[in-house]
Amino acid sequence: MPALSDVPPSHPRYASLMTREKVVEGVERGITGRNGLIAQGRGEAFDYLIGERTTAAAAEAERAAAAMLLLAERPVLSVNGNAAALVPGEMVSLAKRIGAPLEVNIFYRTEERVRRIADHLRSFGAEEVFGEEPDAAIPGLDHARAKATRGGIFDADVVFVPLEDGDRCEALVRMGKRVITVDLNPLSRTARTSTVTIVDNVVRALPNLISLVEEMAGWDGADLAGILEAYDNTAILRRSVEEVITHLARSFSPLDELSPP
Amino acid sequence: MPALSDVPPSHPRYASLMTREKVVEGVERGITGRNGLIAQGRGEAFDYLIGERTTAAAAEAERAAAAMLLLAERPVLSVNGNAAALVPGEMVSLAKRIGAPLEVNIFYRTEERVRRIADHLRSFGAEEVFGEEPDAAIPGLDHARAKATRGGIFDADVVFVPLEDGDRCEALVRMGKRVITVDLNPLSRTARTSTVTIVDNVVRALPNLISLVEEMAGWDGADLAGILEAYDNTAILRRSVEEVITHLARSFSPLDELSPP
C-alpha cells in the first residue's frame, strides 16, 4: 500500500485515513496481524455510527473501569496487535500508574509476533511484559488461544483486555475474573460478557482512563467501591445502542435534503 | 496470518470468518490491497447491523440496477481489488449477460495490481477487460485516481462500481454518468451520490443482479424504463437506515435478558 502521504489532505476522510495508518504501520512492523486490519475496519464503522466521540455512556464505563483497576489486587493489562499499534505508550503509562504488568495476548499467535509486541512495549518503557513464556492455560479455549502466564493474566483478579475476542473474554469471565474491555460494537459477545464494557475508540479510551486513574488515585477504597456498586453494564450497553440509533435518526434530515436522482 | 482452518468450526463467527478469508486470499495473490482488508471490516460491521441479509430496500435497488444496466447503451462494470477477490466470476457473468466490458479501477493504483486483477478476471472467462492502458482522465480527481479508458468507463453512460470511493463516485456523476454502486453504509458519500445505491453485501448483490438481469432480459424497454421512473434512491437510503434502526432496537430484548454484573 502506498504511503498515506499519497492521499490528498483534501480527501474528506483524511483524518480517519491517518488514524488507520497506525494499524497499517503495525502490520508492516510485524506487530499487527492482517486480521487486525479487518478489525480496524469494523471499529471504524461502529465509531462512525456513534459519531466518533466518547459518549456519556462510554465516559461512565471508563470511570467504573478506572475504579476497578485501582481497587484490583492483581490487575493485568492485556495487549494484542491492534492495541500495540494504536496505543502502545498509553498502555505502558496506564500499567505504571496502577502498578500492573502487561501481557501480550494475540488471536493468531506466532512466537515471533509476541516477541515483537513485547519489544515494542519495552521500547515505550514497559518494565514487566508477560506473554513470551506462557506457563498456564485458560480452560475452555483451544491450545494456541489458551496460553497465559502465571503471575500475569492467569492469576489476575482484574484483566483489562481492549479489543478482545468473544471466546476468550467468556473464558476469562468463567475463571471468575472481572474483565474490562474496549469494544465499539455494543452488541458483540465481548461487550455482553465483560464486567465493564467501554464502547469507545481505544485511541480515545486510553487517554481518558489515564486521566481518570490520575484523578482517582488518592480516593478512599469505599468511594471507588461505591462507583462500582452503582455501575450497571447492561444499562451502559443499552444506552450505547440508543446513541447509535439517535445518531442514525439524526442522519435522516441530511438525506431529506437530497433530491431524487 | 495462519490459515482459517486454524479457527475451530465451533467459533460463533466461523461463517463470517470464512467469507473474510476470500479477501485475505486476494491480498496474498496480490489482487487486493491491504486497504481492502480495512474496507472488508467496515463492510462486515454494516452488514451485521442490517442482519446479514438482503433487505426489501436492497432488493428494490437491485431491480432498478438491473433495469438500468439492460437499458444502458454503453454500460461498463468497474472492478476493484475487493470485488475481484469476492465476486470475480459473478462480475464476469454479469458483464456477459448485459454485453458490457469490465474495467479495473483501484484506489491505490499500481500497474502490477491492475494487471493481476485483469488476469484474474480473464481466468474467469472475461473477454474485454479495460484498465491496463488508460488513455483518458476523469476530471476533478488527482492524477493516479483519474485514470480511465476510452471505450470503457470514460465513455460509459452507466457505470456499475461496487465498493467505490466517494470522491471517484462524485466525479463520475459530475461527468453526467448514471452510477450504480454497492455500499453497505447507507450514509456514505458514495451511497448518497450514486444514482442507484444497493445497500447489500456484494456477495449477495451480484447473484441477485445476475438473476434479475436473466429474468428481465426479454422485457420491453418501456417496462424497464417504468421501473426506473418509479425508483427513488433517497427513499431507498432512508429505508436502509430504518432497517438498521429496527435491527438495533430488536437487539434490546436480548440485552434485557442479561443480568447486571
Side-chain angles (χ1 to χ4, degrees):
Chain A
M1 190 188 298
L4 272 169
S5 47
D6 294 354
V7 176
S10 59
H11 194 288
R13 298 295 299 162
Y14 185 72
S16 169
L17 291 170
M18 290 304 289
T19 304
R20 178 187 302 175
E21 176 73 353
K22 285 189 188 175
V23 182
V24 173
E25 276 173 18
V27 174
E28 277 158 12
R29 299 171 71 146
I31 60 174
T32 308
R34 276 194 196 152
N35 217 58
L37 291 172
I38 296 173
Q40 171 66 16
R42 282 199 305 277
E44 280 180 13
F46 285 112
D47 201 14
Y48 176 95
L49 290 173
I50 56 163
E52 294 171 340
R53 72 205 155 83
T54 299
T55 65
E60 196 175 321
E62 284 160 3
R63 202 163 189 80
M68 189 172 276
L69 288 169
L70 287 167
L71 282 172
E73 291 185 19
R74 299 173 306 280
V76 178
L77 312 192
S78 176
V79 182
N80 71 2
N82 284 51
L86 289 168
V87 284
E90 291 84 349
M91 290 297 286
V92 172
S93 171
L94 181 61
K96 284 190 180 168
R97 278 175 172 78
I98 59 168
L102 297 149
E103 182 162 338
V104 180
N105 154 41
I106 59 183
F107 192 75
Y108 290 105
R109 183 181 179 98
T110 70
E111 299 311 315
E112 171 65 14
R113 197 147 71 79
V114 170
R115 195 187 54 74
R116 281 180 195 263
I117 293 173
D119 284 347
H120 189 56
L121 293 171
R122 282 187 282 257
S123 80
F124 280 88
E127 279 152 25
E128 201 172 11
V129 184
F130 290 110
E132 290 164 293
E133 294 174 12
D135 54 8
I138 297 168
L141 294 174
D142 59 290
H143 186 66
R145 290 212 176 82
K147 290 185 176 181
T149 313
R150 289 178 200 279
I153 287 175
F154 191 77
D155 292 318
D157 60 339
V158 173
V159 190
F160 177 62
V161 279
L163 320 174
E164 183 54 289
D165 171 67
D167 265 4
R168 187 148 169 155
C169 186
E170 282 178 2
L172 292 170
V173 169
R174 274 199 307 271
M175 284 181 83
K177 301 181 189 308
R178 279 175 294 169
V179 173
I180 303 164
T181 196
V182 179
D183 192 329
L184 278 159
N185 177 2
L187 301 172
S188 74
R189 274 191 314 136
T190 301
R192 291 171 185 239
T193 308
S194 297
T195 324
V196 174
T197 305
I198 299 169
V199 183
D200 202 359
N201 194 316
V202 74
V203 304
R204 295 188 300 267
L206 263 290
N208 290 346
L209 282 172
I210 291 168
S211 298
L212 286 163
V213 162
E214 277 176 355
E215 174 196 332
M216 293 155 74
W219 287 23
D220 272 3
D223 291 340
L224 296 173
I227 289 179
L228 289 186
E229 254 165 59
Y231 182 77
D232 176 350
N233 204 50
T234 306
I236 289 291
L237 293 177
R238 191 176 304 113
R239 281 167 55 194
S240 301
V241 174
E242 284 166 353
E243 291 275 3
V244 173
I245 291 178
T246 305
H247 191 73
L248 280 168
R250 222 180 280 140
S251 71
F252 273 55
S253 336
L255 276 181
D256 286 333
E257 285 160 24
L258 293 175
S259 46
Chain B
M1 190 188 299
L4 272 168
S5 48
D6 293 354
V7 176
S10 59
H11 193 288
R13 299 295 298 161
Y14 186 72
S16 168
L17 291 170
M18 288 305 289
T19 304
R20 178 188 300 175
E21 177 73 352
K22 286 189 188 175
V23 182
V24 173
E25 276 173 18
V27 174
E28 277 159 11
R29 300 171 70 144
I31 62 175
T32 309
R34 276 193 196 155
N35 217 57
L37 292 173
I38 295 173
Q40 170 66 15
R42 283 199 304 277
E44 280 181 12
F46 285 112
D47 201 15
Y48 176 96
L49 290 173
I50 56 164
E52 294 171 341
R53 71 205 157 83
T54 298
T55 64
E60 195 175 322
E62 284 160 3
R63 201 162 190 78
M68 189 172 276
L69 288 170
L70 288 166
L71 282 171
E73 292 186 18
R74 299 174 306 281
V76 178
L77 311 192
S78 176
V79 181
N80 70 2
N82 284 51
L86 289 168
V87 284
E90 291 85 347
M91 290 296 286
V92 171
S93 171
L94 182 62
K96 284 189 178 168
R97 278 173 172 78
I98 60 167
L102 297 149
E103 181 162 338
V104 180
N105 153 42
I106 58 183
F107 192 75
Y108 290 103
R109 184 182 179 97
T110 70
E111 300 311 314
E112 172 65 14
R113 197 147 70 80
V114 170
R115 194 187 55 73
R116 280 180 195 263
I117 293 173
D119 284 346
H120 189 56
L121 293 171
R122 282 188 283 258
S123 79
F124 280 88
E127 278 151 25
E128 202 172 9
V129 184
F130 290 111
E132 290 165 291
E133 293 175 11
D135 55 5
I138 297 167
L141 294 175
D142 59 290
H143 187 67
R145 292 217 171 80
K147 291 185 177 179
T149 314
R150 289 178 201 279
I153 287 173
F154 191 77
D155 292 320
D157 59 339
V158 172
V159 190
F160 176 63
V161 279
L163 320 174
E164 182 55 290
D165 171 67
D167 265 3
R168 187 148 168 157
C169 187
E170 282 177 1
L172 292 170
V173 169
R174 273 199 308 270
M175 283 181 84
K177 301 181 189 308
R178 280 174 294 169
V179 173
I180 303 164
T181 197
V182 179
D183 191 328
L184 279 160
N185 177 2
L187 300 171
S188 74
R189 275 190 314 136
T190 300
R192 291 171 186 238
T193 309
S194 298
T195 323
V196 173
T197 305
I198 298 169
V199 183
D200 201 0
N201 193 317
V202 75
V203 305
R204 295 189 300 267
L206 263 290
N208 289 347
L209 282 172
I210 291 168
S211 299
L212 287 163
V213 161
E214 277 177 354
E215 174 196 332
M216 295 155 74
W219 287 23
D220 272 2
D223 291 341
L224 296 173
I227 289 178
L228 290 186
E229 255 165 57
Y231 182 77
D232 177 350
N233 204 51
T234 307
I236 289 291
L237 293 177
R238 191 177 304 113
R239 281 167 54 195
S240 301
V241 174
E242 284 165 353
E243 291 275 4
V244 174
I245 291 178
T246 305
H247 191 74
L248 281 169
R250 221 179 281 139
S251 70
F252 273 56
S253 336
L255 276 181
D256 286 333
E257 286 159 24
L258 294 175
S259 47

